[in-house]
Amino acid sequence: MSTYAEKLATRFTGLKYAALPENTTHGVKRLLLDYLGVAVGGSQHDSGEAARAFAKHEGGKGPARIIGDNASVSMTTAAFANAISSHSLELDDIDVLALFHFSPPVYSSALAAAEGSSANGKDLIVALAAGCEMMERASRAANPSMRNRGFHTTPNAGVFGSTIAAAKMLKLNAAKTVSALGMAGAQSAGLMEMYGPSMQKRFNPGPAARSGITSALMAKLGFTGTALVFEGERGWLNAYSDQRKPHALDEGLDGDYPLDIEFKPYSCARPIHNAIDCALEIRKQPGFDPKKVTSIDIERHEDWSKYHRNATPTTYHEAQVSLPFSVAVAMLEGKALLKQYSDKNIRNADVKRLSALARFETVRLPRGVSVRITVTQSDGMIYTSQVDYPKGSIQNSMSDDELRVKFDSLASPVIGAKKATALADMAMNVEKVASISEMLKLTIVR
């Protein structure tokens, strides 16, 4: 009987561009646009700058570009740096369960490997679709237990997605892809101990992207890995999850995989977005006055109720994972973009006052990320809002035009409007691109 790794390897090595449904190719291209904008913007912020500096410190020329820079390095080093840059703004995509980010590990690996293998746009689309599918299958097989035990899904499941993406780019056969998956499991790591004033959270997808290419390259060179990486007695599922669902790994392998990708309009952790939508809805109500607010009662589903409660962040990294801070700035400024997560707002007395009013309660709500907020004012006015599907979700999606506005806001200040326009056009028509390297040259800083 075939192992899960063998079944998955057979599926992904046989996956062809012509077989992908239109909604998958379009979704992959939307995410490519989003990834490039976030990575370009993130490359110029502290954690992205440190990752770029590290990549260049490693030395040596290579085929893969550091996004937001003018240097080219090895595939593994570029994937590492670009994954961190693309996770540096808290604006990267999310899966429907709000458990992980597809693009930092998968897209960073695929793009670096695409440059190293002189791949074209159609090859890239297939690799991205395969990598995202692999990552989500792994997550569904292990979560929510994996997350609840303290393991971060983005790197832990992402390493398998980045490995499949790289394996497709490097044209591994099924046997070598099995070995690559085995080695990916050996490198799976990432902890949820990442919330706070440090850059810790930004780091996590870097090793996953790098390890994916490492696994694929080692397999291509003949290094063999275990075929029992998922279901083995000491395999990945047994190690990382107490409530395993291994059937999620091979369910529906013969058909189209519904790849649902959600996007972020706000510059903070995704499970906070519902609360921001609540705050923005309340802000629009007649008579609302943030100066009169005396209490903010926040009800959350048990899946996320214990997270994001810090009301006194000291850095923007910490503010971006603070629900009280995010609600406060949304109520005061009507936005929750990168500009709102500033040192000025962290010191702002009005923001501090509203943040301190937040009180949490765990209740039964329709979804894990659902939030209900009740605001009471000194004049007796009471406002309530509940959001189950935040802006950017499948049910409340961002349009192509909205994603383009987001991309332009992040990329144009870094590379200039002309190159940003060209880069966006290539991303949304990547199937026509003959050389991925030519596309990534547009990310060079002006």
Side-chain angles (χ1 to χ4, degrees):
M1 182 178 292
S2 297
T3 66
Y4 286 112
E6 289 166 341
K7 294 176 184 178
L8 290 162
T10 298
R11 171 173 173 78
F12 293 129
T13 53
L15 194 62
K16 306 296 183 186
Y17 176 80
L20 293 176
E22 194 278 333
N23 63 323
T24 294
T25 57
H26 185 62
V28 163
K29 291 191 292 183
R30 277 165 54 88
L31 183 50
L32 180 60
L33 175 73
D34 195 68
Y35 168 85
L36 289 170
V38 175
V40 167
S43 71
Q44 307 306 302
H45 281 259
D46 49 7
S47 50
E49 288 176 342
R52 289 191 293 112
F54 171 81
K56 289 185 284 190
H57 180 268
E58 289 291 275
K61 287 284 292 180
R65 181 162 303 283
I66 303 172
I67 290 175
D69 210 295
N70 59 2
S72 294
V73 293
S74 70
M75 291 185 286
T76 52
T77 303
F80 175 82
N82 294 339
I84 292 175
S85 288
S86 66
H87 197 47
S88 288
L89 302 181
E90 281 296 343
L91 277 167
D92 42 331
D93 64 278
I94 203 78
D95 80 305
V96 294
L97 298 177
L99 291 172
F100 68 76
H101 307 271
F102 287 103
S103 63
V106 173
Y107 277 55
S108 301
S109 172
L111 286 167
E115 289 200 273
S117 58
S118 301
N120 62 36
K122 287 184 178 179
D123 294 332
L124 178 66
I125 287 175
V126 179
L128 295 175
C132 289
E133 178 183 334
M134 177 69 253
M135 185 176 181
E136 189 165 60
R137 285 183 179 277
S139 171
R140 289 179 173 176
N143 274 313
S145 173
M146 181 168 68
R147 181 200 64 201
N148 293 341
R149 290 182 62 192
F151 298 114
H152 189 198
T153 303
T154 297
N156 276 288
V159 70
F160 295 110
S162 68
T163 295
I164 288 297
K168 289 295 291 182
M169 289 284 85
L170 298 176
K171 296 181 171 29
L172 299 193
N173 62 24
K176 289 185 182 296
T177 299
V178 170
S179 287
L181 286 171
M183 285 179 273
Q187 299 172 86
S188 178
L191 299 175
M192 288 291 284
E193 187 55 53
M194 59 188 181
Y195 296 115
S198 75
M199 302 177 191
Q200 182 75 30
K201 186 174 187 289
R202 319 296 191 228
F203 181 83
N204 280 1
R210 177 179 59 196
S211 295
I213 295 181
T214 298
S215 299
L217 283 174
M218 289 291 283
K220 187 173 184 177
L221 293 169
F223 203 101
T224 58
T226 178
L228 290 168
V229 60
F230 292 111
E231 69 270 37
E233 182 182 354
R234 298 173 181 84
W236 186 75
L237 284 174
N238 283 323
Y240 283 102
S241 179
D242 295 321
Q243 296 175 325
R244 299 168 288 279
K245 299 180 284 291
H247 65 276
L249 289 168
D250 66 351
E251 188 174 26
L253 280 181
D254 295 331
D256 293 334
Y257 188 83
L259 192 59
D260 293 328
I261 302 169
E262 300 191 340
F263 296 89
K264 283 186 173 185
Y266 311 128
S267 188
C268 62
R270 180 58 163 182
I272 296 174
H273 285 214
N274 296 60
I276 292 172
D277 282 338
C278 286
L280 294 176
E281 184 178 317
I282 289 171
R283 189 177 190 270
K284 296 176 184 177
Q285 299 305 309
F288 174 75
D289 185 347
K291 293 181 180 179
K292 295 180 180 179
V293 173
T294 57
S295 66
I296 302 175
D297 294 302
I298 301 167
E299 296 170 290
R300 299 185 83 187
H301 189 281
E302 62 183 1
D303 283 359
W304 288 100
S305 64
K306 296 180 181 179
Y307 292 90
H308 315 120
R309 291 192 176 197
N310 178 16
T312 56
T314 57
T315 69
Y316 87 87
H317 297 287
E318 205 168 17
Q320 287 177 309
V321 290
S322 167
L323 190 151
F325 179 92
S326 299
V327 166
V329 294
M331 286 182 174
L332 288 165
E333 300 187 17
K335 298 177 182 178
L337 303 174
L338 191 62
K339 184 179 180 180
Q340 277 66 53
Y341 294 87
S342 63
D343 289 340
K344 180 181 178 181
N345 271 343
I346 288 171
R347 297 190 300 267
N348 185 296
D350 292 331
V351 174
K352 287 183 175 182
R353 188 188 80 82
L354 287 178
S355 297
L357 294 176
R359 297 181 300 189
F360 290 88
E361 184 179 356
T362 301
V363 299
R364 296 293 298 176
L365 290 171
R367 301 184 69 226
V369 293
S370 293
V371 173
R372 182 164 56 237
I373 294 181
T374 301
V375 172
T376 303
Q377 293 188 170
S378 57
D379 58 5
M381 295 293 290
I382 298 175
Y383 303 92
T384 299
S385 175
Q386 179 174 323
V387 172
D388 299 319
Y389 296 98
K391 181 64 177 176
S393 64
I394 301 299
Q395 294 79 5
N396 186 14
S397 65
M398 293 178 71
S399 67
D400 287 0
D401 288 342
E402 288 174 321
L403 284 177
R404 178 61 183 270
V405 169
K406 175 185 173 182
F407 170 88
D408 288 339
S409 72
L410 295 167
S412 293
V414 178
I415 61 177
K418 184 176 180 180
K419 284 201 293 185
T421 296
L423 181 60
D425 290 344
M426 291 184 80
M428 290 305 290
N429 296 281
V430 71
E431 71 275 11
K432 301 175 184 177
V433 173
S435 169
I436 300 303
S437 291
E438 291 302 311
M439 181 176 72
L440 291 181
K441 284 179 182 179
L442 293 170
T443 69
I444 297 174
V445 293
R446 57 177 178 176

